[in-house]
Amino acid sequence: RKEVEQDPGPFNVPEGATVAFNCTYSNSASQSFFWYRQDCRKEPKLLMSVYSSGNEDGRFTAQLNRASQYISLLIRDSKLSDSATYLCVVNLNNNNDMRFGAGTRLTVKP
Amino acid sequence: GAGVSQSPSNKVTEKGKDVELRCDPISGHTALYWYRQRLGQGLEFLIYFQGNSAPDKSGLPSDRFSAERTGESVSTLTIQRTQQEDSAVYLCASSLGEGAFTEAFFGQGTRLTVV
């Protein structure tokens, strides 16, 4: 089983739609999780950390389900500028040994 | 301030040649990561350095790949006897390495093409 798994997509949604991505991880001892965003031919950049209680940043909501070992990212009111690849990241051993999922590609269309 | 710097930005090499890729992390960052990203694919973990601890080399795909880091400074990734399947963007990232929610900052990558 891969350390971090994501549905590669692509997700094609209209502007204004709500879209959700899930990511599963294999190491039950992992304590910290992140979502990164990667634009085409650019380097990944941090979108948001994922806290145990769940957290929200504007239109973006991240949640953690430890029992099922998955994290999710919800994007409300999608914008054209949200088109990118979203990477799930798990801090493998709580020693900043970070592993990335393969990413989920999102395209928001007019 | 300065971000993570990688050089060269592009490298074209002939099959069978050795290449060396360089990463200058953000000053003060103890953790350094190398990833490989093939065209249209996700990030593939290669190696992780944390301070003076032994590096996690579990992602290196073969013994043709090696990486070094001197202290908490520059790292070099060396690929010997390059093959066409080594063509990819090689991304380096660094982080403070302290605390569980430390952000990793990426360089812009080295695009390697093996012909």
Side-chain angles (χ1 to χ4, degrees):
Chain A
R1 182 182 174 186
K2 288 184 180 178
E3 291 156 335
V4 183
E5 293 200 67
Q6 294 183 250
D7 179 348
F11 285 64
N12 297 309
V13 303
E15 270 187 293
T18 295
V19 61
F21 311 132
N22 283 339
C23 165
T24 58
Y25 60 94
S26 61
N27 187 340
S28 60
S30 298
Q31 295 294 319
S32 54
F33 312 87
F34 311 83
W35 285 100
Y36 276 65
R37 170 188 170 137
Q38 186 174 27
D39 292 297
C40 188
R41 301 179 77 87
K42 298 284 189 181
E43 72 275 21
K45 293 185 179 178
L46 179 67
L47 176 65
M48 59 196 302
S49 301
V50 185
Y51 301 118
S52 296
S53 55
N55 48 299
E56 188 174 305
D57 182 1
R59 298 181 293 108
F60 298 83
T61 301
Q63 292 198 313
L64 167 64
N65 184 320
R66 287 192 188 278
S68 301
Q69 292 181 214
Y70 78 82
I71 65 172
S72 64
L73 177 68
L74 181 79
I75 305 175
R76 291 182 299 278
D77 188 23
S78 301
K79 310 291 184 191
L80 296 176
S81 58
D82 293 335
S83 297
T85 296
Y86 291 83
L87 302 162
C88 169
V89 186
V90 176
N91 189 336
L92 203 62
N93 299 311
N94 300 312
N95 191 32
N96 287 296
D97 190 349
M98 286 194 269
R99 303 300 167 91
F100 284 69
T104 299
R105 185 177 299 177
L106 171 67
T107 301
V108 181
K109 299 185 174 180
Chain B
V4 177
S5 177
Q6 291 188 246
S7 60
S9 55
N10 282 284
K11 175 73 176 178
V12 180
T13 190
E14 291 182 353
K15 179 181 172 181
K17 300 279 189 184
D18 297 352
V19 295
E20 190 173 278
L21 312 180
R22 177 186 170 108
C23 173
D24 281 89
I26 293 172
S27 178
H29 281 195
T30 60
L32 186 146
Y33 316 80
W34 282 99
Y35 296 92
R36 176 170 71 179
Q37 189 169 34
R38 292 194 169 106
L39 186 63
Q41 304 294 312
L43 270 70
E44 179 184 357
F45 168 77
L46 296 178
I47 189 167
Y48 163 62
F49 296 90
Q50 172 59 286
N52 294 317
S53 302
D56 178 354
K57 302 181 180 181
S58 60
L60 294 177
S62 76
D63 59 7
R64 296 187 297 105
F65 288 73
S66 63
E68 292 186 354
R69 187 184 187 195
T70 306
E72 296 180 357
S73 61
V74 172
S75 175
T76 55
L77 176 70
T78 302
I79 308 173
Q80 295 178 310
R81 305 181 302 283
T82 51
Q83 303 295 313
Q84 287 185 329
E85 66 260 27
D86 299 335
S87 297
V89 175
Y90 289 82
L91 288 161
C92 174
S94 72
S95 73
L96 279 170
E98 295 176 359
F101 287 94
T102 305
E103 179 179 356
F105 295 84
F106 282 82
Q108 296 200 328
T110 293
R111 185 174 300 277
L112 176 66
T113 303
V114 182
V115 296

